[in-house]
Amino acid sequence: QAEIEIKVVDADRALELKSEGDAHFKKASFGEAIRLYTASIEQDNSNSAAFANRAAAQIQLKNFAAALEDAVVARTLKPDYMKAYYREGMAHQELGHWEEAAQAYFEGCRYGQKHTHALLLSLARSLFSERIYLSRRGSRKAV
C-alpha cells in the first residue's frame, strides 16, 4: 500500500498528456512516454492508469524499482486494477523478489477476466517452481 495525497490541478490536461504518453508508448518511445505520464500525474495524481502505464514504460527501460513504485501506487488508487498487480509482479520478478512477484500475480487473479486469471496463475506457479529449483540448486552447492 502506498501513501498518496490526491492532488488535481487540471484533470482534462492530465488526460491529454496521458493519451500522448500512450501514443509514445505504442511507438516504443518509452523515455518520452515516461515524461508525458509524469506530466499527467503532476496535473492529476488520482489516475491509476497513468501510474500503471508509467510502470510499463519503466519496465521496458529496465527501471524495475521505479516500475514497482508506480505499480504499487496504481493498485493503491484502484485496488481492483489487474494490470497494476501484473506490473507489480513483473517488477518484483525482475528484481529477484520471487515470493512478492508470485503474491502480486495471485492477487491480480482476483480481478482479471478468465484468460487473464489463467495467465497470472500460470506466472505465479512458474515463479514458485523457479524459486524451488533455485533453492534446491543452491542447497546442493552448499553440501
Side-chain angles (χ1 to χ4, degrees), residues 11-132:
D12 291 333
R13 180 67 181 137
L15 288 175
E16 290 171 13
L17 290 163
K18 183 196 161 296
S19 292
E20 290 176 36
D22 293 343
H24 281 276
F25 186 93
K26 288 176 185 168
K27 294 188 286 188
S29 300
F30 302 116
E32 184 62 13
I34 289 168
R35 187 188 71 74
L36 289 160
Y37 292 137
T38 300
S40 172
I41 290 165
E42 288 170 354
Q43 294 298 306
D44 178 0
N45 71 349
S46 69
N47 186 337
S48 60
F51 282 99
N53 291 1
R54 188 170 71 176
Q58 295 285 13
I59 288 168
Q60 292 297 319
L61 294 178
K62 301 192 183 321
N63 299 329
F64 303 118
L68 179 57
E69 288 178 26
D70 281 343
V72 169
V73 171
R75 75 166 165 78
T76 298
L77 289 169
K78 190 174 182 203
D80 63 346
Y81 191 22
M82 188 277 305
K83 284 184 181 179
Y85 291 95
Y86 174 68
R87 291 175 183 149
E88 179 182 355
M90 288 180 67
H92 273 305
Q93 186 173 344
E94 293 297 333
L95 291 167
H97 307 156
W98 308 111
E99 289 85 3
E100 293 88 344
Q103 183 177 353
Y105 291 142
F106 275 131
E107 287 180 29
C109 287
R110 296 185 296 174
Y111 305 111
Q113 273 91 26
K114 190 174 186 177
H115 70 282
T116 334
H117 179 273
L119 169 69
L120 292 177
L121 193 56
S122 171
L123 286 168
R125 284 182 179 150
S126 69
L127 274 177
F128 275 126
S129 297
E130 186 173 348
R131 180 67 177 138
I132 290 167

